[in-house]
Amino acid sequence: MRKISTLLFLFVTVASFGQITLTPNNGCVGSTFDITITGSIPSTGATPCSAVSGVFTGGTQQIAVTNPVASQASPPVTVSLTIPSNFAAGTYDFRVSYQYNGFCYSGSCVSCFTVNPKPSNVSVSPSGAISRCEGQSVNLLCSASGATSYQWTLDGGNIDAAINAGTFASTNGTYRCVATNSCGNTISDSAILTFNPLPTPATINAVGSMLHANSAVAVEFKWYLDGTVLNGQTDSMLTATQNGAYTVEITDANGCKSTSAAYNYPQTGIDNLEGSLFALTPNPASGFVTINTDLTNGFTAYIISTEGRIVNLTESQSSTALIDISKLAKGIYMVKLKTSNGEVQKRLTIQ
């Protein structure tokens, strides 16, 4: 009989919870505020109140509220609620119990209180150290959960009009995204952008048909004729084979590019000897280089630096010549042979 009475008491206690309404019915993590509870709350007749007040999930208490001391039996009743900053966002049940004139009054509602977070998982893509070239831009994208607005900053200061999830950056500095909603804001990681200056364009020097791109910073070369790329021509030197405007695009160690002014090359009959035998041995060479030709009437040989200076001149009365190059600096040279019928040239590497 005692067990039946106990079960009956519990049934009466649970069933006696009244339906309540909360104002406000939501809050932000880390906030402290008062909730006004309205509704019809019956008395359980129990003294003192044994029910716990606060936020619940599936009957398990998540946030405790100190039982209020009511000034009247019926709502409105005000309780204070503090939401921990690390609390999980979501929708929760709410229960309240309070004592008045020796009676315990209890009310509850289901899925009636929402905890709202600040924006979370805020990140910038791409992030970290980013290198680009002057004149380029980087499309930065801010990703955030729960954000309703965005503000981009550069070195800590707001960027005017940069208030969308994406922005284009073209200035050196540290970029961050501030994601905001009604509960506050969260700052992203950073993108540190460096825009490297473009290299000084190469200058093109010519010795006969040999064109040379002079640049102190180039690591790659790409030649063009009348705006069309010359496939496979990726050296600093190029032998012009037809008239036209030659340009060279260089790339520096930062991957930045620039294009030279056009060099207008006129062909002037230097191909008259192109069918002749002309060999340099050895090549690369050091000490001496031998010129072998089929020019039985002899020739004049010029060794010309990339700056266009003649550094050696040799007259040969036969089809061959042995030239001392031991005093010449290491590098790339052009060897030009001239006869009364024309001229021909080849590249020589001295090492």
Side-chain angles (χ1 to χ4, degrees), residues 92-103:
Y92 298 86
D93 303 340
F94 198 95
R95 295 181 188 177
V96 64
S97 297
Y98 58 88
Q99 200 83 24
Y100 183 74
N101 282 347
F103 288 90

Side-chain angles (χ1 to χ4, degrees), residues 300-315:
T300 301
Y302 301 87
I303 299 180
I304 305 169
S305 71
T306 55
E307 291 80 18
R309 294 185 302 107
I310 297 174
V311 295
N312 181 278
L313 188 154
T314 300
E315 297 280 356

